[in-house]
Amino acid sequence: MIPKSFLFLSVAASLTLGTAHAAGVLAPLPPFYEWSEPVSAAPGTMLRTEKLTESWLPPATGKALRILYSSTNGLNNTEKTAVSGYILFPRSAPPKGGWPLVSWEHGTVGFADQCAPSRRGPSKRDQAYLNAWLEKGFAVVATDYQGLGTEGVHPYLLYRPEAYSALDAARAVIGDRSLDIQNRIVLIGQSQGAGAALAAAWEYPHYAPQLHIVGGVLTGLVTAIGDKERNGQTSVDQHYTTILKMDPAFAMLRLAGSDQAIAPQTDLPAYLSEKGKALYKTANEGCLHDLFNQAKALDIHEGGELIKSDLPPSDAKFNTYFDLPDGHVTIPLFVGTGLSDNMAGTNGQYEAVKTLCQAGTSVVWYKYPGLTHSGTVNYALQDSWPFVQGVMAGRPAPSSCHDLAEPGPIQTPRTDVKFNN
């Protein structure tokens, strides 16, 4: 498998969250997100919608809806579940045949229900990014992911729940004829969302073959693919690879989101230190930036400080649910990597591109000197937009697979690029 050099790192998404709140506590979720009866509708069916008028809507938004739709529980592949999200429409009239669709997969925000982007809104950075796609004539559907805003634990970073959530959001809005959405889709994601978009690209021929997905745009890619020894992938520092050494905020999301979703019967507080219990409380009441603030206040520096002695047994199963089985994807991919990305890392993104290329996937990889995890998102539009125009028109996508090189040491960030924090 690819070294986990960037599994828990979407700090940029947390630094500019849309809706402020006091002391890390938000009001209870509105009734819209509650679905008390069993979900009987086929996956990808719209369950309900409501109009969105929030101040965080990108300025190019003409109409916006909060959505609740049916999906498959990606933890067991058998049960159906309700997932929330939102859809944005451009201001102009739809083209003949309906709006082409961007399926947006967001980066890390937390695992508590109140962190759902359909409620809080995207970050300022992501508002600008989604606004650009609206101006280019795309409708944008954005999933919250399974368990984020709705019933159950959010399976943070686990590829099938994220893939199913994204694909069924697309099926739901395309299937609702009143929305005037055409079946031509680009998967776009950043950080955790880049991994989710890649997972959706990998899954859709099996799970949702009726969708016409033409390509994917991935920045700050977070993924692991296949077998490490088979692919000759390199290792990285332990603060990226092990829960005991990583940043405590992301370690808590792994414990309380990923591991707890895998084994919900686990009594997680029994495994936590006193500081770990305090951070766990914050994770349940607040979002990612609250975890950063609380970890600093508690003087916690590594994930190991959250643990009393041993990790929960469910943590050993994480890779089974996180790693993509292989790197063969049937649509062309754009991957953008900031060479100052010390949050997701650069070597892991190189390993992902290499593995995808080895499996025969068409990948064009852009590397951006001096750009960070956050700065790459909007900056890469100058290259990802021509890529999308090409795949939408059915032209062969360019490929970097014949000329891959390791990115080298993390660079010093530029100071002249917006959101390059």
Side-chain angles (χ1 to χ4, degrees):
M1 64 188 164
I2 284 178
K4 312 297 192 297
S5 62
F6 42 102
L7 302 191
F8 314 97
L9 303 170
S10 185
V11 174
S14 74
L15 297 179
T16 52
L17 287 170
T19 305
H21 61 287
V25 180
L26 291 175
L29 285 170
F32 178 86
Y33 294 87
E34 298 177 4
W35 191 263
S36 56
E37 56 199 76
V39 178
S40 58
T45 301
M46 193 72 78
L47 300 177
R48 66 166 67 116
T49 65
E50 68 176 15
K51 188 176 181 180
L52 270 175
T53 58
E54 274 73 357
S55 61
W56 55 257
L57 291 173
T61 304
K63 181 178 74 170
L65 298 172
R66 185 178 285 117
I67 63 175
L68 193 74
Y69 59 93
S70 59
S71 188
T72 302
N73 183 336
L75 293 166
N76 57 33
N77 295 335
T78 56
E79 298 174 355
K80 296 172 187 173
T81 188
V83 179
S84 57
Y86 62 91
I87 183 166
L88 312 176
F89 298 87
R91 290 188 179 276
S92 55
K96 184 178 180 180
W99 299 107
L101 186 66
V102 160
S103 172
W104 167 246
E105 284 71 63
H106 67 80
T108 303
V109 294
F111 89 100
D113 286 338
Q114 60 263 32
C115 305
S118 70
R119 182 183 180 194
R120 292 174 59 85
S123 68
K124 295 292 186 184
R125 180 204 69 198
D126 292 350
Q127 289 175 38
Y129 188 69
L130 299 182
N131 194 70
W133 289 104
L134 290 169
E135 289 179 335
K136 295 179 189 306
F138 288 80
V140 177
V141 67
T143 180
D144 289 330
Y145 305 135
Q146 177 181 328
L148 188 59
T150 50
E151 183 180 0
V153 177
H154 169 44
Y156 179 59
L157 295 176
L158 307 186
Y159 82 90
R160 278 201 173 95
E162 292 181 345
Y164 294 168
S165 295
L167 295 171
D168 284 325
R171 289 202 284 195
V173 298
I174 291 169
D176 186 335
R177 298 299 178 87
S178 68
L179 300 182
D180 212 0
I181 304 293
Q182 64 173 288
N183 190 1
R184 295 178 75 212
I185 306 159
V186 182
L187 299 166
I188 303 182
Q190 191 268 340
S191 194
Q192 176 191 1
L198 176 61
W202 189 89
E203 280 281 1
Y204 96 89
H206 323 287
Y207 181 73
Q210 70 272 42
L211 292 179
H212 181 44
I213 301 175
V214 299
V217 174
L218 321 173
T219 57
L221 178 57
V222 175
T223 193
I225 306 172
D227 182 82
K228 178 179 177 180
E229 292 182 359
R230 182 184 71 234
N231 293 311
Q233 295 154 4
T234 59
S235 61
V236 294
D237 293 341
Q238 284 191 332
H239 71 274
Y240 291 126
T241 60
T242 69
I243 199 169
L244 299 178
K245 294 292 183 181
M246 66 180 52
D247 178 280
F250 293 106
M252 180 52 68
L253 292 180
R254 161 85 173 258
L255 289 164
S258 314
D259 292 357
Q260 198 73 10
I262 292 168
Q265 72 280 4
T266 301
D267 180 12
L268 180 58
Y271 290 88
L272 299 178
S273 65
E274 291 306 309
K275 288 185 176 181
K277 291 176 183 177
L279 199 62
Y280 180 53
K281 182 175 186 295
T282 300
N284 281 281
E285 295 176 344
C287 299
L288 183 57
H289 69 291
D290 300 298
L291 286 169
F292 290 135
N293 293 339
Q294 180 72 333
K296 184 177 181 179
L298 293 170
D299 196 30
I300 307 173
H301 303 282
E302 293 183 332
E305 298 174 63
L306 306 176
I307 304 299
K308 187 185 301 181
S309 56
D310 298 322
L311 287 166
S314 57
D315 188 70
K317 302 176 182 178
F318 174 79
N319 290 349
T320 301
Y321 291 85
F322 177 78
D323 296 0
L324 280 180
D326 60 64
H328 181 63
V329 174
T330 58
I331 60 172
L333 301 175
F334 173 101
V335 178
T337 300
L339 296 182
S340 296
D341 189 346
N342 64 351
M343 297 178 181
T346 58
N347 187 63
Q349 295 182 61
Y350 159 73
E351 297 288 0
V353 170
K354 183 173 71 173
T355 304
L356 290 164
C357 287
Q358 289 172 344
T361 301
S362 173
V363 186
V364 58
W365 185 33
Y366 279 82
K367 295 167 284 187
Y368 297 101
L371 294 194
T372 65
H373 194 59
S374 182
T376 302
V377 180
N378 283 277
Y379 192 93
L381 272 165
Q382 62 185 315
D383 302 307
S384 61
W385 170 232
F387 167 84
V388 169
Q389 286 179 301
V391 296
M392 290 288 289
R395 296 192 294 269
S399 175
S400 301
C401 291
H402 62 286
D403 187 26
L404 298 180
E406 294 188 37
I410 300 292
Q411 299 179 358
T412 301
R414 291 171 57 176
T415 58
D416 62 333
V417 176
K418 194 173 183 180
F419 304 117
N420 203 43
N421 48 7

